[in-house]
Amino acid sequence: MRLAHNPNALETLRSPSDDAPWRVLVSGCLWGQPCGVDASDYGMSAHQPPWLHHRRVEIVPFCPEDFGMGTPRGMPDLHGGDGFDVLDGRAKVLDEHGNDLTQAMLRGARAMADTALEHKVDFALLTDRSGACGTQVISLGCRFVEPVQYRRGVGVAAAMLLRCGVAVVSQRDFHTLSVLGSKVDEAFEVDAEALDHHQTAWVKQNLP
């Protein structure tokens, strides 16, 4: 399930402790790994919620695109549907040159799900807008074609995780991340004014 869309699910998460920390699967770029298409982390490591570094959290970083396609690589974008459509053979993943990366993306998505199950992660924190890891917003077609088109939906790896029963959350789901932080350490206060990505004005106005 997507935690930001199921706030009651936050109550079902086990409480992390010093002896039994949360095991959190994190998109590689978000953890600072140089696994982006340009062999950078896109600057994503600057946007980590601080509680990821708490002693009650154990990080399992993974980049499905790097696993399936290597780094650097072309920009893998969804054509014809979302991640679930790719899993079911109704949509494809193409790079900016039209190369079909569908099978490579599926290979990386399966490996990410296998890693999540092997480590028995409590949930996954993923990079939104990614064709692999998006959990709230994904692109429609190539991101190098202006104007870039977006839709609500999930990427291929996120869809695979969800089908395997792994809960996911976006790095832009600020309210949910705030609640998660308060569960890690009572010193973290929940930001009552924070919004999850689907609650923001941009998403509501542009992606009805």
Side-chain angles (χ1 to χ4, degrees), residues 173-205:
D173 292 331
F174 297 116
H175 175 71
T176 296
L177 293 176
S178 179
V179 174
L180 291 169
S182 71
K183 291 181 174 294
V184 170
D185 189 335
E186 56 274 7
F188 288 102
E189 294 186 6
V190 175
D191 185 351
E193 298 183 357
L195 298 175
D196 289 328
H197 196 31
H198 66 285
Q199 299 170 327
T200 63
W202 182 86
V203 171
K204 289 181 176 181
Q205 291 170 7

Side-chain angles (χ1 to χ4, degrees), residues 73-95:
R73 59 187 171 277
M75 179 68 77
D77 282 314
L78 297 164
H79 292 255
D82 68 357
F84 288 115
D85 293 316
V86 173
L87 296 188
D88 294 334
R90 296 188 298 269
K92 293 183 177 182
V93 180
L94 306 176
D95 70 9

Side-chain angles (χ1 to χ4, degrees), residues 47-188:
H47 302 283
Q48 298 172 3
W51 53 261
L52 285 185
H53 299 273
H54 196 279
R55 64 183 180 278
R56 293 177 183 167
V57 178
E58 177 183 314
I59 301 300
V60 181
F62 194 91
C63 176
E65 293 183 14
D66 177 65
F67 183 95
M69 292 167 266
T71 301
R73 59 187 171 277
M75 179 68 77
D77 282 314
L78 297 164
H79 292 255
D82 68 357
F84 288 115
D85 293 316
V86 173
L87 296 188
D88 294 334
R90 296 188 298 269
K92 293 183 177 182
V93 180
L94 306 176
D95 70 9
E96 66 271 28
H97 305 295
N99 297 311
D100 192 331
L101 304 176
T102 306
Q103 292 306 313
M105 182 74 95
L106 286 169
R107 186 164 58 249
R110 293 189 195 99
M112 191 177 207
D114 288 344
T115 298
L117 297 175
E118 177 185 351
H119 289 270
K120 299 180 180 179
V121 301
D122 293 277
F123 57 91
L125 173 57
L126 305 178
T127 303
D128 207 23
R129 297 206 308 182
S130 162
C133 293
T135 65
Q136 288 271 19
V137 174
I138 53 175
S139 62
L140 275 172
C142 181
R143 276 172 279 182
F144 291 154
V145 176
E146 297 289 345
V148 181
Q149 301 294 313
Y150 294 105
R151 60 164 286 179
R152 299 192 191 210
V154 301
V156 181
M160 187 75 77
L161 289 170
L162 289 166
R163 285 218 170 148
C164 291
V166 179
V168 300
V169 64
S170 161
Q171 93 283 9
R172 289 190 172 96
D173 292 331
F174 297 116
H175 175 71
T176 296
L177 293 176
S178 179
V179 174
L180 291 169
S182 71
K183 291 181 174 294
V184 170
D185 189 335
E186 56 274 7
F188 288 102

